[in-house]
Amino acid sequence: MAETEERMGMLLELMPIGLALHQPQSIVFANEELARLVGFAPEAIIGRHCLDFVDPDGEYELFERFSRVFENDESINEPTLNIVDSFGVQKTVQFIAGRMPWQGGQPLAQVLIQDVSHIKAMEYELQRKTEEIAASLFQEVKARETQREFVSVVSHEFRTPLAIINGSAQMIERLIKADKSERAVEKVAKIRTAVGRINGLIDDILDSSSIEKNQFKIEPKPFDLGALIETL
């Protein structure tokens, strides 16, 4: 019997979770992990209340709930609770308390306290990264929208004067042809060719914008490859 109790005590000491056996008013047993969490030696914890280490902001409500663990056989499971150790360092822990089936004498509760500070830190970092990515995506979408608007405006602003130039060149071409001025016709043809090239560039810009918006349509048509090479 004594050997069994000794082994049980060793198992409780080696638990990776803080453990306290608690009577209504104070702790009667604390393992090494709980001592590490609160920054006191195990013997210095005996006789103290487990809520002595809880951040004072939520202590009163939790004290009422802890009393009901003994009075009404209720249990407590706080996924995140702030405690302050002997060095003044705040830690985030999971706090679980429940009454043990103890026969005779004062009622006894088991209190489990596990450090989840690293988990909260990881959650915070994940949230921060997520927000950064969302902000970057928003900026990217906004930049693309601005680019599309710019392309649309520039295309319109180019096409209007080009249409006027092209129309005027056609009119001049007709007038010159009537006078049989071959040199003037050649010059006008160059103007119209230059206008056509600029219009082609505008079409290419608009096509690239359509591709980004998945609105680009391919319409295969036959063409003269030799004539295309000659224009290069």
Side-chain angles (χ1 to χ4, degrees), residues 51-71:
L51 299 185
D52 289 347
F53 310 104
V54 174
D55 192 339
D57 288 344
E59 184 177 349
Y60 178 76
E61 181 185 353
L62 192 59
F63 186 84
E64 292 291 318
R65 292 172 60 193
F66 193 79
S67 297
R68 292 197 294 271
V69 169
F70 297 96
E71 296 168 1

Side-chain angles (χ1 to χ4, degrees), residues 217-225 228:
K217 294 182 180 179
I218 299 177
E219 297 179 0
K221 292 182 180 179
F223 68 96
D224 188 341
L225 181 59
L228 176 62

